[in-house]
Amino acid sequence: MASTKTNKERLYDIIKKPLISEKSMMAVQMSQYSFEVDKDATKVEIAQAIELAYPNRKVKKVRTVYMPSHAKRLGMKFGRTQSGKKAIVTIEGDPIEELTGV
């Protein structure tokens, strides 16, 4: 018998990790944060997951981007990187201190 997750448990599994890059750190000034998310997650679920993970913040806008896999070589071996999904979330309210490094 397969175990079913409640909606709240699924929301905790949607956000995999924040994406930290030079471009994403410049977007923090405009209250935009980048996260790697589950491939099956919808924009509504991503917004709910962000509001659950970071209380006292309201999600204003969610944009998603599919990141395809790329060919990679290590010595004589060939392979592919893993594909994924990225969400760029605009929030209202206080900035997220853990991601800004302040």
Side-chain angles (χ1 to χ4, degrees):
M1 183 177 233
S3 64
T4 58
K5 291 184 179 182
T6 63
N7 190 31
K8 196 169 191 177
E9 290 173 339
R10 170 148 164 69
L11 290 178
Y12 280 116
D13 293 337
I14 287 177
I15 301 171
K16 293 183 180 178
K17 65 181 180 179
L19 296 175
I20 308 297
S21 66
E22 192 172 341
K23 185 176 181 179
S24 68
M25 287 296 103
M26 293 193 57
V28 166
Q29 297 170 355
M30 297 179 290
S31 297
Q32 294 178 352
Y33 299 90
S34 300
F35 297 94
E36 184 179 335
V37 296
D38 188 36
K39 286 186 207 177
D40 300 328
T42 64
K43 290 182 179 187
V44 173
E45 290 175 335
I46 293 169
Q48 291 172 351
I50 295 293
E51 289 176 355
L52 184 64
Y54 301 104
N56 300 328
R57 286 155 183 107
K58 179 98 171 99
V59 173
K60 188 176 183 181
K61 185 177 187 180
V62 176
R63 295 180 293 160
T64 58
V65 179
Y66 175 73
M67 301 181 301
S69 65
H70 298 282
K72 192 164 181 105
R73 190 176 117 179
L74 183 63
M76 296 293 290
K77 307 263 184 189
F78 289 90
R80 295 196 72 80
T81 61
Q82 196 169 16
S83 63
K85 190 174 189 178
K86 175 170 69 171
I88 301 159
V89 180
T90 306
I91 64 162
E92 294 175 339
D94 300 326
I96 301 173
E97 292 82 20
E98 299 93 33
L99 302 179
T100 58
V102 177

